[in-house]
Amino acid sequence: MRKIACIALLAFLAPLHPAGAVDTDALVSELRGGGYVIMFRHGATDDSRKDVYPLNFTDMTAQRQLSANGREMAADVGRAVRKLGIPIGLVLTSKLNRAVETGKLLSSRDVQAVDALTDGGGSASAMANPGGANRKAGAAVRDNLVNTPPSGTTDTILVTHKTNFADAFGKDAGDVQEGEAFVYKPDPSGQPKLVARVKATDWIAAAK
């Protein structure tokens, strides 16, 4: 009996993300109450155009941009989030246009672009555990942004890049797909808890 009780408790405490499909109904119910940070990788991009280093944030011709599909998908996710009644507060993005544009399409409003979420570019640590020169960059994302509770009963949206996911959360986050979101519950006394990984299509399906 004790063994059964322990198994039940572990099932209750287990995060939604590691195995199997996301329980979107339960997740959306939690998100409606606010208090979560939703960290997106920017939407799908046009690989025929590459970033030119050093990065020039005002020159759109020197950056990889969202593809038409990426824009459409981000807009669809934004509409789904609003239809689901998820209250969005602060929206922070990378300074690169593909992230800024994704953030605007997700939230249907202007966004704030910040250094911490911007792809450092050319980093050899993209798929490595946080460390070395990238430890500080990863900590800025993880500790200062993801682990900061949203204001009131809202959820915060962050839009960044694959490299930033890996620098902040290690190689296990390095397989994040374009348009995918990691949902975190901040814990100022410890580390943010990963609650779920949500693909763009999951938001859209949940809203139907």
Side-chain angles (χ1 to χ4, degrees):
M1 190 71 175
R2 184 178 178 182
K3 183 178 180 181
I4 294 173
C6 289
I7 292 172
L9 178 62
L10 288 171
F12 176 78
L13 293 176
L16 297 175
H17 73 279
V22 173
D23 184 345
T24 51
D25 289 341
L27 178 63
V28 168
S29 179
E30 289 296 317
L31 291 174
R32 283 174 179 155
Y36 291 84
V37 175
I38 310 172
M39 184 169 164
F40 284 88
R41 185 183 173 191
H42 59 74
T45 54
D46 176 4
D47 282 334
S48 67
R49 181 180 296 175
K50 304 297 183 182
D51 291 330
V52 177
Y53 298 98
L55 295 170
N56 182 338
F57 302 117
T58 62
D59 184 359
M60 299 301 103
T61 67
Q63 301 178 34
R64 193 167 87 250
Q65 301 291 333
L66 292 182
S67 64
N69 181 61
R71 292 186 184 93
E72 181 180 5
M73 186 68 75
D76 286 345
V77 171
R79 284 189 286 269
V81 166
R82 289 187 288 279
K83 185 175 180 179
L84 291 167
I86 297 171
I88 300 304
L90 189 64
V91 182
L92 302 177
T93 76
S94 157
K95 290 184 173 182
L96 285 163
N97 190 63
R98 57 184 177 273
V100 173
E101 191 172 8
T102 298
K104 288 179 177 180
L105 290 168
L106 289 172
S107 64
S108 193
R109 65 172 187 260
D110 286 337
V111 302
Q112 181 180 347
V114 297
D115 287 332
L117 294 173
T118 303
D119 185 3
S123 170
S125 76
M127 294 300 101
N129 285 306
N134 298 285
R135 185 181 299 277
K136 184 176 180 180
V141 173
R142 183 182 61 253
D143 302 333
N144 300 336
L145 297 180
V146 177
N147 212 28
T148 296
S151 175
T153 56
T154 66
D155 299 305
T156 296
I157 283 182
L158 308 178
V159 185
T160 188
H161 308 270
K162 187 174 186 176
T163 302
N164 302 71
F165 270 89
D167 285 345
F169 297 105
K171 62 181 181 180
D172 288 342
D175 64 348
V176 60
Q177 302 300 301
E178 290 181 324
E180 186 178 7
F182 284 30
V183 179
Y184 290 94
K185 182 68 174 178
D187 179 7
S189 66
Q191 293 293 315
K193 177 185 177 183
L194 177 59
V195 175
R197 292 180 62 160
V198 188
K199 296 185 183 299
T201 51
D202 293 333
W203 300 108
I204 297 166
K208 290 183 177 178

